[in-house]
């Protein structure tokens, strides 16, 4: 069986400042967003609605705030509310670890709503532009999880060729699923390919956003069967983890958004929404 390589969390030092792998993954995520976002807004139907590269730069700024604040507050209130209510001074101590994707998503939605209001775009149109650019960032984050040897998987059959021992688990060498890699492949690469191909043609407003919610929800729900639940939470009703329960609204909401988008498009003339 394989053993986690035990990477040093610090990639290198810049003068006396340690540069962590996870920080580099965030930097890669933001860089990929800019590159992909510029390609998305250059598509004829988006350019015709007034989208520019400046909008992508501004979206990144809004999105970073949403990811960091929402991700941290989501972890605080979704996973450890009792602890942080009794230790309020640690709520913003992001350097201690603890971020939630679902909280980050809510933070980004608030940030996108603010961007849409200030720039005169429809909120759902903004979501359609952003959605295809998100999975590569998720992939980078999961790669960072693997490098750090955190968020490891559940116990696996020792005969599984890619079963891996995570010494950080202090479990006596139990072979586990490398669930970070599963999530890297599922909610990262696979979801990116599906969304990128889907968004290469004009789609009804909210269809791309709906597909993102649906696709991520399904990928995350499935991966959670192989990911070790948080020790302080365990499994909830139906044997589902907290991550699975938080993914259910995404699956339902994404499916309903796509249904609404195509039904709405069938009732409207085939013309792009204008600013």
């Amino acid at each position: 069986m394989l053993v986690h390589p035990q990477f040093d969390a610090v990639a290198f030092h810049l003068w006396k400042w340690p540069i962590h792998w996870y920080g580099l993954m965030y930097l890669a995520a933001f860089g990929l967003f800019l590159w992909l976002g510029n390609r998305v807004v250059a598509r004829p139907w988006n350019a015709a609605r007034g989208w520019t590269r400046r909008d992508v730069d501004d979206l990144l700024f809004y999105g970073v705030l949403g990811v960091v604040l929402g991700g941290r507050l989501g972890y605080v209130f979704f996973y450890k509310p009792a602890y942080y209510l009794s230790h309020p001074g640690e709520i913003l101590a992001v350097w201690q670890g603890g971020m939630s994707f679902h909280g980050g998503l809510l933070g980004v939605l608030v940030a996108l709503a603010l961007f849409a209001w200030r720039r005169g775009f429809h909120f759902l149109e903004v979501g359609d532009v952003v959605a295809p650019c998100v999975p590569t960032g998720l992939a980078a984050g999961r790669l960072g999880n693997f490098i750090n040897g955190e968020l490891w998987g559940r116990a696996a059959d020792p005969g599984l060729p890619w079963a891996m021992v995570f010494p950080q688990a202090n479990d006596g060498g139990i072979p586990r699923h490398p669930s970070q890699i599963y999530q890297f492949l599922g909610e990262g690469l696979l979801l990116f390919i599906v969304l990128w191909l889907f968004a290469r043609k004009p789609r009804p407003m909210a269809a791309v956003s709906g597909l993102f919610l649906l696709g991520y929800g399904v990928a995350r729900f499935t991966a959670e069967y192989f990911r070790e639940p948080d020790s302080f939470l365990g499994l909830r009703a139906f044997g589902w983890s907290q991550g699975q329960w938080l993914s259910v609204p995404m699956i339902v909401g994404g499916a309903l958004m796509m249904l609404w988008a195509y039904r709405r498009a069938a009732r409207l003339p085939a013309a792009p929404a204008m600013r």
Side-chain angles (χ1 to χ4, degrees):
M1 71 188 71
L2 305 176
V3 178
H4 184 268
Q6 299 292 281
F7 299 101
D8 189 336
V10 177
F12 59 89
H13 286 80
L14 188 63
W15 290 283
K16 295 183 178 180
W17 295 94
I19 306 300
H20 290 77
W21 280 108
Y22 206 67
L24 291 177
M25 293 302 104
Y26 267 95
L27 186 62
F30 299 147
L32 285 168
F33 177 87
L34 285 176
W35 181 60
L36 295 172
N38 285 327
R39 296 186 64 182
V40 170
V41 299
R43 290 170 176 165
W45 54 93
N46 288 325
R49 293 172 180 145
W51 284 92
T52 67
R53 291 192 172 191
R54 178 188 170 189
D55 293 319
V56 177
D57 295 339
D58 291 345
L59 275 172
L60 177 62
F61 173 76
Y62 282 86
V64 168
L65 292 179
V67 166
V68 175
L69 294 178
R72 181 59 177 176
L73 293 177
Y75 180 79
V76 168
F77 293 109
F78 293 158
Y79 290 90
K80 288 187 173 182
Y83 175 83
Y84 285 105
L85 286 175
S86 59
H87 300 80
E90 298 182 24
I91 289 178
L92 296 180
V94 294
W95 55 89
Q96 295 181 3
M99 296 286 281
S100 162
F101 166 80
H102 297 91
L105 175 64
L106 292 176
V108 168
L109 291 178
V110 172
L112 295 187
L114 179 60
F115 170 86
W117 172 69
R118 294 195 63 181
R119 300 300 288 270
F121 288 111
H122 194 290
F123 170 69
L124 294 176
E125 181 186 348
V126 176
D128 288 342
V129 168
V130 169
C133 310
V134 173
T136 53
L138 300 179
R142 294 310 176 192
L143 187 57
N145 293 147
F146 179 76
I147 291 173
N148 287 346
E150 60 192 10
L151 305 182
W152 49 77
R154 304 188 192 191
D157 185 335
L160 186 70
W162 55 84
M164 181 171 289
V165 172
F166 289 87
Q168 297 94 326
N170 295 317
D171 55 12
I174 296 176
R176 297 179 174 276
H177 290 280
S179 56
Q180 314 97 322
I181 302 300
Y182 298 174
Q183 291 186 264
F184 167 82
L185 295 173
E187 67 198 45
L189 294 187
L190 179 60
L191 183 57
F192 167 71
I193 292 171
V194 171
L195 282 172
W196 194 257
L197 293 177
F198 182 74
R200 288 181 65 182
K201 297 181 179 180
R203 303 292 180 181
M205 187 173 65
V208 179
S209 301
L211 182 59
F212 169 79
L213 292 175
L214 175 62
Y216 178 87
V218 170
R220 177 66 183 269
F221 188 94
T222 303
E224 286 283 331
Y225 279 116
F226 302 96
R227 175 173 161 174
E228 182 72 16
D230 294 292
S231 59
F232 52 86
L233 286 177
L235 297 176
R236 301 300 182 92
F238 304 116
W240 292 353
S241 67
Q242 179 79 334
Q244 287 174 310
W245 276 109
L246 292 173
S247 296
V248 169
M250 295 183 67
I251 296 172
V252 175
L256 291 176
M257 280 181 67
M258 293 193 73
L259 180 63
W260 174 84
Y262 279 97
R263 285 187 172 179
R264 176 178 178 272
R267 298 193 300 266
L268 296 176
M274 300 299 293
R275 278 178 79 172

